[in-house]
Amino acid sequence: MTFSDGTYGGNEQALTVAKAYRDAVLSVVSPLTNSDMRMQVRKNRSEGSNLPGVYYVQPGNHYKKGAWIARIELQVEGHESDPATKRRRKALTRTFNVGRYGYDEARRLAEEERIRMVLAVENGDEPALRSPDALALHRKLSNTED
């Protein structure tokens, strides 16, 4: 929906109507949680996977037989000098080469990895760390630095 200044008699009136509309919609339809947003299937998703954050890279210079990639974006703490409007994010990816695993197995592994990454974020773990031993060591070192 758009609420133009000309239609509503100025910037403040249009903003008031827009906020009232937003509040009315949110009272009927609850907003998505962070977890729901991470798992939402986008229209521009890669063919072959219904899981968001999993996509196929065609054979080319980097991957001779193609690859399936699991990807997640994480928010990064900003610096004091960064403008308040800047969103700092980092992407973590894990690649499963079709030449090594085969097309279907590489896709399955990428989908499992994406789910593991999302669960790690929801549990407050570092999604880049895969093994339980690596997670335990990471927690131990993080606690000794504080």
Side-chain angles (χ1 to χ4, degrees):
M1 293 291 297
T2 57
F3 302 91
S4 68
D5 297 351
T7 303
Y8 292 95
N11 187 14
E12 290 180 24
Q13 293 88 341
L15 181 60
T16 301
V17 173
K19 285 181 178 179
Y21 177 81
R22 176 205 59 201
D23 294 342
V25 168
L26 289 177
S27 69
V28 176
V29 180
S30 60
L32 295 175
T33 64
N34 284 339
S35 174
D36 293 338
M37 287 295 290
R38 283 190 195 97
M39 296 306 289
Q40 190 173 24
V41 176
R42 309 270 190 240
K43 289 181 182 177
N44 63 348
R45 67 177 168 71
S46 175
E47 290 298 320
S49 177
N50 290 328
L51 200 63
V54 175
Y55 58 96
Y56 179 69
V57 176
Q58 295 287 334
N61 294 339
H62 296 293
Y63 308 104
K64 290 182 181 178
K65 295 190 177 185
W68 280 93
I69 298 179
R71 182 177 195 269
I72 192 168
E73 285 191 6
L74 305 169
Q75 190 155 347
V76 178
E77 296 293 325
H79 296 79
E80 298 85 33
S81 61
D82 288 342
T85 57
K86 184 174 181 180
R87 287 180 43 193
R88 297 180 47 90
R89 301 181 76 72
K90 71 175 181 176
L92 294 175
T93 60
R94 183 124 190 272
T95 304
F96 299 90
N97 197 312
V98 171
R100 179 175 182 185
Y101 298 106
Y103 184 87
D104 292 331
E105 180 67 6
R107 182 184 69 211
R108 186 188 68 74
L109 290 169
E111 289 173 345
E112 286 180 3
E113 180 64 12
R114 167 61 185 196
I115 292 168
R116 188 201 63 78
M117 289 172 158
V118 169
L119 291 174
V121 169
E122 289 175 359
N123 293 332
D125 293 331
E126 176 61 43
L129 302 175
R130 296 182 42 79
S131 72
D133 293 337
L135 283 169
L137 180 61
H138 176 71
R139 284 190 194 106
K140 180 180 177 183
L141 292 174
S142 296
N143 289 339
T144 59
E145 292 174 2
D146 294 338

